[in-house]
């Protein structure tokens, strides 16, 4: 995991960015209340406690951001993978790709994986099943392209923004907590910090639909371009 560029750039970096309000809340509000007690034991303990808490929070954000992004935003916008661009673009009714290009992709899927995607009539009768069949085919394409550097780059970009949006929701919650703590204790710095963090992290959430779909379209484009460029089995 530690040598995986996807982990660093698509999971850790968003966690570092979105963990700021949580770090402020825990280290500047919660931990400060126990600092004097720790000093009575040993002077360096407050520093160790702050450092340890920060590391734990960032690691927690890596996990939580991904879960929130997938379970809320990706499910909301794409219903898992059923409405993802990689699925939409292979539907007969979809006009994103010219018909000849789409036919080449569908024919190669049939040849490579023995998966026959739904025709126009079957798609009209049961679009949900047609989508599920495409999702299965896309999963097979990803396996074939595993290790493709260009696809990995676009996968990282999509993962970064998806996880950043998921983490922004958590950041907004802690920004509100910081604001209310400052309001309750009449601390202007905390109030301003809460307001600034709230506004900054609300922006990716508001733009989430546009961002996720935009990078989803980029990923779909590269996925199918790279798939068409691969040699068929047996060649």
């Amino acid at each position: 995991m530690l040598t995986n560029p996807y982990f660093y750039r698509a999971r850790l970096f968003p966690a570092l960015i979105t963990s700021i309000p949580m770090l402020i809340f825990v280290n500047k509000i919660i931990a400060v209340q126990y600092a004097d007690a720790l000093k009575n034991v040993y002077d360096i303990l407050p520093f160790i406690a702050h450092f340890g808490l920060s590391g734990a929070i960032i690691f927690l954000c890596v996990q939580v951001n991904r879960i929130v992004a997938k379970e809320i935003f990706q499910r909301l916008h794409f219903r898992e993978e059923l409405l993802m661009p990689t699925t939409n673009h292979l539907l007969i009714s979809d006009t994103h790709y010219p018909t000849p290009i789409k036919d080449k992709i569908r024919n190669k899927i049939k040849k490579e994986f023995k998966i026959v995607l739904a025709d126009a009539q079957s798609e009209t009768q049961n679009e949900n099943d047609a989508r599920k069949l495409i999702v299965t085919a896309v999963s097979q394409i990803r396996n074939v392209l595993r290790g493709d550097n260009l696809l990995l780059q676009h996968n990282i970009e999509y993962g970064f923004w998806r996880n950043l949006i998921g983490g922004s929701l958590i950041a907004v919650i802690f920004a509100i907590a910081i604001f209310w703590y400052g309001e309750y204790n009449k601390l202007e710095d905390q109030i301003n910090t809460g307001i600034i963090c709230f506004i900054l992290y609300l922006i990716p959430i508001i733009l989430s639909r546009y961002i996720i779909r935009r990078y989803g379209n980029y990923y779909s484009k590269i996925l199918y371009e790279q798939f068409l460029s691969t040699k068929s089995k047996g060649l």
Side-chain angles (χ1 to χ4, degrees), residues 157-185:
E157 290 176 358
Y158 173 78
F160 172 88
W161 283 104
R162 184 196 65 187
N163 293 333
L164 181 72
I165 291 167
S168 292
L169 180 61
I170 307 300
V172 162
I173 293 172
F174 276 92
I176 294 172
I178 293 169
F179 171 81
W180 281 114
Y181 178 85
E183 186 74 20
Y184 180 80
N185 292 283

Side-chain angles (χ1 to χ4, degrees), residues 32-55:
V32 164
Q33 307 196 22
Y34 298 96
D36 290 339
L38 290 173
K39 278 184 179 179
N40 291 333
V41 180
Y42 200 70
D43 287 344
I44 199 173
L45 278 181
F47 172 77
I48 295 175
H50 282 300
F51 184 79
L53 277 173
S54 298

Side-chain angles (χ1 to χ4, degrees), residues 17-81:
I17 294 170
T18 58
S19 65
I20 294 173
M22 191 185 299
L23 289 171
I24 292 172
F25 183 80
V26 172
N27 285 323
K28 297 297 184 182
I29 296 176
I30 302 299
V32 164
Q33 307 196 22
Y34 298 96
D36 290 339
L38 290 173
K39 278 184 179 179
N40 291 333
V41 180
Y42 200 70
D43 287 344
I44 199 173
L45 278 181
F47 172 77
I48 295 175
H50 282 300
F51 184 79
L53 277 173
S54 298
I57 288 169
I58 292 170
F59 179 78
L60 178 65
C61 286
V62 170
Q63 310 305 321
V64 173
N65 289 4
R66 180 171 175 268
I67 293 172
V68 171
K70 292 190 72 173
E71 294 301 320
I72 295 181
F73 291 100
Q74 186 164 297
R75 187 186 295 272
L76 174 67
H77 295 311
F78 293 147
R79 281 176 50 201
E80 293 295 344
E81 295 187 38

